[in-house]
Amino acid sequence: MDDRVLELRVHGVSNTPPGQILGLRPAPGADAPPPPWLVAGGPVTGFYRSPAAEPADPVVVEAYSWGQLTSGARTARDVERALWTLLLPFTLANVALHARPSVPADAAAERWNSTSGTTAWLIRLFCLSLTGTLALTLTAVGVDLVGWQCVDTDCLRRVPGPWEFLGQGWWSEGARSLAVGLLLPLGVLALIGLVTWRTYQYEAQMPAEPVLPSGAPQPTGVPADGSAQPASGPATPEPPPGPPDNPLQDRTFWIGEGQLRRGAVLHLCTGVVVSAAVPLGAVLAMDPPRGVRAAVAWTTVAALVAVVLVAVVALARPGLTRRAGATPLGGWSVTVAVLTAAGLVGTVLILLLPEGAAGTPLPNLRPAPDCLPDAVASAAPGSSGGPGTCPTDRSLPGLDWIVAWLGTGQLLLLIAIGAVARSGRRALAAPAAGGLLLVLGFAWFTGWLPALPPPPATLDFWAVVVPVVALAATGLLLPRIPAPAGRQPLSPHTDLAWGGRAPAVIAGFGWVLCVSYSAGLLYWITGRLNGDPHPDGPVVTPPVPVMWAGLAFAGALLALAATAARAGLLYLRLRRHEYAEATARTATPLSAHELRRCRDVSAWRALHRLVGDHAVRLVGWYAVVSLVLTALACAALLARKPPHPTDATGGAAVIAWISEMGDRLLGWLPVLIATVGLLVYRNDVVRRSVGVVWDVGTFWPRTAHPLAPPSYAERAVPELQTRAAGLLALAEHDPRSVDGIILSGHSQGTVICAAVLLQLPARSRRRIWFFSYGCQLTRLYGRVFPGYFGPDRLPVLAEALTSPDGRIRWTNFWRDTDPLGWPVTAGERDLPVRDPEALHPSDGEVADPPIRNHSGYPEAPEFHRERSRVAWLLRRGVPAPRRGSG
């Protein structure tokens, strides 16, 4: 076997092209470098080498390109990926599950009543509620705005398609137009389910066990101490691995096809139930059924309620909490699907049947085509909807209440998630008590508690909601669960992010984004249906919560601007400090050129400190402001009061203008997010600043929200595992064989490499050395995802890379000008890389040495020296892996 070492490079979020990863340069007289050679894989994910590589080279560099999984050429796939960004709320909610401070190393050891199990169950419930929010929004568009309010021919003409028939004849009677409006949420849910089904190929990827060609000699055995004497007999199989010490060591962590299918069925059926429950509940409340109609109605209600109950229970079952490969759907999924189909059929039947004689005819409760809000301020619930009269609430009866209680329930759920994740199950008492008091207070105000005296006339319901939510939030302030004994001491700025409340913070941002999407969509469609401004006011109005969403969004933008200003002031202070240190390091005065270069270097060093030392805290303060704003908005929704009167004057006019501007911005928010998602893969600046959020989110498997975008690591990790194990298992005489592999990861590639190393068997890890640079395993992943990379779990990776002589086969490179790269303090060596190499040109060069910050690590002299040293160590008789062991 030739003395050859392979350096396998894995790029980060910037999707560096393979030729650039390999360092290919144009030949003299050529305009472009030669194309790299694809040695394994395909055009989406492939392994590339330089065309000039020779078999006799002591170190061969190979690049693994996975960026096409999240980016690509300017084709229709770019549009598809831009649309994926609209599901960013689902992505953030899914990431929250992996941000729990306590994650059991062995998934089979987790119990639903433990701290980690309870937190996981609450997060999965919250993810299910986000799917309900999407279904409720689409139902509000199809059933309320179109099927209930848009009843005149002029309005229906503005709806794409031939929908004028809903305003006349048989379809305009009773609730039949509501049944047609259900086509929108059901169609979108079916489309999302189809897209999710098409992405099962990611979860279906499995690493392949290396197989030698038939007739090839088996590799000789090597003693466990690493000496080079060959063994005389066949290799002794290693004992089977024991329980994992890190969740990433679970063999099914990246193989969750069955879990994804079961979760998708549960979420899609719940979305269908929410869509059906809105018009069904409104019709049953306005026109209580009798006789055969009542039998069908209450059977349908029972089926829909059963789906919700089964979903709540199933989210705590092992079938949805553990990954077990390509398993069948199971009885829970089949039961939910059958009940959902029965409930949907019953709902459509009730909506299409003629009205009963028990209640007020629905046309009398529907806003008339010429009903204008300024004509009459209010009317009795049973009054006629003829010309000149308008009900106070133009939306479908009960829709505002559903939106208000869903949003308040999600807020209490977020508080419970953060409290339990930080302080254990004892912290669940505060949000549970707050939710109970909120329900009792609502029953008191609505007269459902006759034993109590009526509330004072001067007391509004919002004055009850705010203290109750504040009581629930006290669970977030309880002491944190004590750290386990013998825990590795923390270095500065590596404590848990947001005091252990990371799941609530991440899921909360996903919730705010989901609500913003929903409000923006409702506002935008309302404007399209109204057409030209009517002199007397709009014909179609969105639900009242949309107005409060615009006002809260405007406040959130102001808070975001204040946070950005605070970050800018911190950056300026850090830059002045770094510049003072840089100019004080030399005893001789610096030239004007060197002073200018010091300013440039100080700017990057200040950014390095800002991101590493202060970014998490700034996000935490913004999360606190967002919590206050959402709590006040929920209180206002439950009080059923609009943010401003119809004819606003004075200060109310200012509030009306702010709310209107907020709603307009919300209407453009989905377009803005989709545009950014498109530019992320076309613009390097946007890619490196925004794409990191997307690639961090889609790294984790879809274990909490199955409708989120697919995880690229579901494919990248098994492919890297198969490639590394396969090359190391080749026979000695094979020209492709290598003595060892330097697994070299940059930025997000270091996280992928860490996952690969924890999945590889011990027989393969003995001949692998890990290079990490631009690494976020401590300052980002270790703080936000401590269950995988925290101070208790990162040493597991170091232990897996420890040789029998005690050497840790891990070298980390970092720069003080790299905003996304820091020391690790878990490997053998943390090598600082000088950047720039000098302040001025030398050796006849005219350009200043570049400030590489987050890129160009393999071109640094420190990297080359360390690679030469490691390659020499890997060629010193390192044990060969043996087939069938490990």
Side-chain angles (χ1 to χ4, degrees):
M1 177 176 63
D2 296 330
D3 292 338
R4 184 170 61 170
V5 172
L6 174 69
E7 183 194 351
L8 182 53
R9 295 180 181 174
V10 183
H11 65 79
V13 299
S14 58
N15 189 23
T16 309
Q20 188 175 342
I21 299 175
L22 298 171
L24 300 182
R25 298 289 186 270
D31 296 332
W37 173 35
L38 179 65
V39 295
V44 178
T45 57
F47 297 83
Y48 297 84
R49 293 186 184 180
S50 169
E54 298 291 342
D57 292 342
V59 178
V60 177
V61 180
E62 185 172 294
Y64 174 63
S65 177
W66 57 268
Q68 295 291 330
L69 296 174
T70 58
S71 62
R74 297 186 177 184
T75 61
R77 292 187 62 192
D78 276 345
V79 178
E80 179 184 349
R81 296 183 190 98
L83 295 178
W84 272 121
T85 59
L86 297 179
L87 297 180
L88 184 58
F90 295 168
T91 302
L92 294 175
N94 181 73
V95 171
L97 181 71
H98 303 282
R100 290 173 293 161
S102 59
V103 179
D106 187 1
E110 185 177 60
R111 298 294 180 264
W112 71 270
N113 57 349
S114 63
T115 296
S116 60
T118 303
T119 307
W121 180 62
L122 293 173
I123 292 174
R124 288 189 169 95
L125 281 179
F126 177 78
C127 291
L128 194 67
S129 73
L130 282 189
T131 303
T133 301
L134 171 65
L136 183 60
T137 302
L138 297 173
T139 305
V141 173
V143 175
D144 177 34
L145 297 183
V146 177
W148 181 254
Q149 296 189 50
C150 191
V151 291
D152 65 319
T153 306
D154 291 337
C155 180
L156 289 172
R157 286 197 187 101
R158 303 187 186 104
V159 182
W163 304 108
E164 289 87 347
F165 68 92
L166 295 178
Q168 54 190 350
W170 185 82
W171 284 102
S172 64
E173 299 175 359
R176 296 182 180 115
S177 59
L178 305 185
V180 179
L182 276 176
L183 293 177
L184 176 62
L186 296 179
V188 174
L189 289 173
L191 178 61
I192 294 178
L194 176 63
V195 173
T196 304
W197 178 78
R198 290 182 58 190
T199 60
Y200 287 159
Q201 57 180 322
Y202 286 83
E203 279 78 6
Q205 294 292 325
M206 298 179 63
E209 183 72 18
V211 179
L212 292 180
S214 59
Q218 301 294 327
T220 57
V222 181
D225 60 358
S227 59
Q229 292 89 1
S232 57
T236 302
E238 297 178 357
D245 297 319
N246 190 307
L248 292 174
Q249 291 177 310
D250 184 2
R251 295 301 179 188
T252 61
F253 188 86
W254 302 107
I255 310 170
E257 181 182 3
Q259 182 197 43
L260 182 67
R261 291 179 187 272
R262 293 189 295 272
V265 169
L266 202 63
H267 276 250
L268 292 173
C269 289
T270 303
V272 172
V273 167
V274 171
S275 300
V278 171
L280 179 64
V283 169
L284 295 184
M286 293 183 294
D287 185 23
R290 291 180 179 179
V292 177
R293 198 164 179 265
V296 176
W298 298 121
T299 302
T300 301
V301 171
L304 298 181
V305 172
V307 171
V308 176
L309 294 178
V310 170
V312 171
V313 175
L315 290 177
R317 300 287 298 172
L320 283 175
T321 59
R322 302 171 194 168
R323 298 166 74 80
T327 53
L329 286 178
W332 289 92
S333 301
V334 175
T335 302
V336 167
V338 172
L339 290 174
T340 302
L344 181 60
V345 171
T347 299
V348 174
L349 185 61
I350 291 295
L351 296 179
L352 294 181
L353 286 175
E355 297 178 8
T360 304
L362 297 182
N364 292 346
L365 298 176
R366 184 196 305 268
D370 54 352
C371 173
L372 301 177
D374 290 337
V376 176
S378 61
S383 63
S384 173
T389 61
C390 270
T392 304
D393 188 358
R394 298 171 58 88
S395 298
L396 187 69
L399 180 61
D400 289 349
W401 280 117
I402 296 175
V403 174
W405 279 105
L406 177 62
T408 306
Q410 289 173 325
L411 176 63
L412 293 175
L413 199 56
L414 284 172
I415 293 175
I417 290 171
V420 176
R422 171 182 168 86
S423 306
R425 290 180 299 163
R426 59 177 179 172
L428 192 59
L436 180 61
L437 290 176
L438 196 61
V439 173
L440 293 177
F442 176 77
W444 181 38
F445 269 79
T446 53
W448 292 352
L449 295 178
L452 296 179
T458 58
L459 182 64
D460 289 328
F461 189 51
W462 69 267
V464 175
V465 177
V466 172
V468 167
V469 174
L471 171 65
T474 57
L476 297 171
L477 305 177
L478 294 177
R480 199 166 65 191
I481 297 177
R487 183 177 186 176
Q488 177 183 346
L490 294 172
S491 57
H493 307 291
T494 56
D495 196 4
L496 295 183
W498 308 300
R501 309 178 190 93
V505 173
I506 297 174
F509 283 129
W511 175 55
V512 170
L513 193 58
C514 183
V515 172
S516 301
Y517 279 177
S518 302
L521 179 65
L522 290 171
Y523 179 83
W524 185 83
I525 291 180
T526 300
R528 303 291 79 75
L529 293 178
N530 283 324
D532 298 331
H534 196 282
D536 296 321
V539 176
V540 177
T541 59
V544 173
V546 174
M547 305 178 190
W548 282 107
L551 192 61
F553 185 69
L557 288 180
L558 292 177
L560 182 62
T563 304
R566 173 60 178 164
L569 294 176
L570 277 173
Y571 170 74
L572 294 176
R573 189 183 69 184
L574 292 172
R575 190 177 66 174
R576 288 195 299 268
H577 177 74
E578 291 294 336
Y579 180 73
E581 285 194 350
T583 55
R585 290 174 183 173
T586 59
T588 59
L590 298 176
S591 64
H593 178 85
E594 291 172 331
L595 290 175
R596 179 184 60 81
R597 291 281 286 166
C598 283
R599 284 195 296 270
D600 297 338
V601 174
S602 300
W604 285 105
R605 288 177 178 170
L607 188 59
H608 170 83
R609 291 186 56 187
L610 177 67
V611 175
D613 301 346
H614 304 281
V616 171
R617 187 175 71 252
L618 289 172
V619 173
W621 281 113
Y622 183 69
V624 172
V625 176
S626 300
L627 174 63
V628 174
L629 288 175
T630 53
L632 293 176
C634 289
L637 292 180
L638 291 178
R640 299 198 66 185
K641 290 186 176 181
H644 54 81
T646 305
D647 295 327
T649 58
V654 176
I655 295 178
W657 181 83
I658 295 176
S659 177
E660 178 72 15
M661 292 303 299
D663 283 328
R664 290 185 180 181
L665 293 175
L666 282 174
W668 286 101
L669 183 63
V671 179
L672 176 63
I673 296 294
T675 303
V676 172
L678 183 64
L679 292 178
V680 158
Y681 308 118
R682 298 191 178 191
N683 186 285
D684 289 339
V685 176
V686 179
R687 174 68 173 168
R688 294 186 178 184
S689 57
V690 180
V692 62
V693 177
W694 181 254
D695 283 348
V696 168
T698 54
F699 168 78
W700 299 102
R702 295 179 281 187
T703 51
H705 205 304
L707 306 184
S711 164
Y712 59 85
E714 298 272 10
R715 180 169 176 178
V717 171
E719 286 188 351
L720 277 168
Q721 183 180 349
T722 301
R723 179 66 174 169
L727 290 176
L728 292 175
L730 291 173
E732 294 182 2
H733 70 281
D734 196 304
R736 299 168 298 172
S737 63
V738 295
D739 279 337
I741 293 178
I742 300 175
L743 193 56
S744 178
H746 172 239
S747 188
Q748 186 67 14
T750 63
V751 186
I752 298 175
C753 290
V756 171
L757 290 169
L758 289 171
Q759 286 282 321
L760 281 171
R763 66 179 185 272
S764 298
R765 288 199 302 264
R766 293 193 188 101
R767 298 170 62 190
I768 292 180
W769 198 291
F770 182 27
F771 275 8
S772 59
Y773 39 96
C775 179
Q776 302 118 26
L777 288 179
T778 51
R779 294 292 179 94
L780 176 60
Y781 278 86
R783 302 184 69 184
V784 181
F785 308 105
Y788 302 88
F789 301 103
D792 300 328
R793 298 295 165 80
L794 200 57
V796 176
L797 177 59
E799 182 180 353
L801 294 170
T802 302
S803 59
D805 59 359
R807 176 182 289 117
I808 302 177
R809 299 185 299 273
W810 183 1
T811 304
N812 179 67
F813 305 87
W814 67 280
R815 298 189 180 111
D816 58 5
T817 57
D818 185 354
L820 297 176
W822 301 278
V824 171
T825 66
E828 182 189 43
R829 292 159 65 85
D830 260 317
L831 289 183
V833 177
R834 182 183 176 89
D835 187 43
E837 298 178 7
L839 292 178
H840 47 74
S842 60
D843 301 329
E845 181 59 67
V846 296
D848 290 326
I851 303 174
R852 300 188 183 276
N853 52 80
H854 191 54
S855 61
Y857 277 94
E859 301 175 9
E862 295 88 346
F863 187 93
H864 285 278
R865 288 194 295 266
E866 181 67 9
R867 188 179 67 175
S868 299
R869 185 186 75 90
V870 169
W872 177 77
L873 290 173
L874 289 175
R875 286 193 292 263
R876 291 182 57 204
V878 180
R882 305 167 186 176
R883 294 181 62 222
S885 62

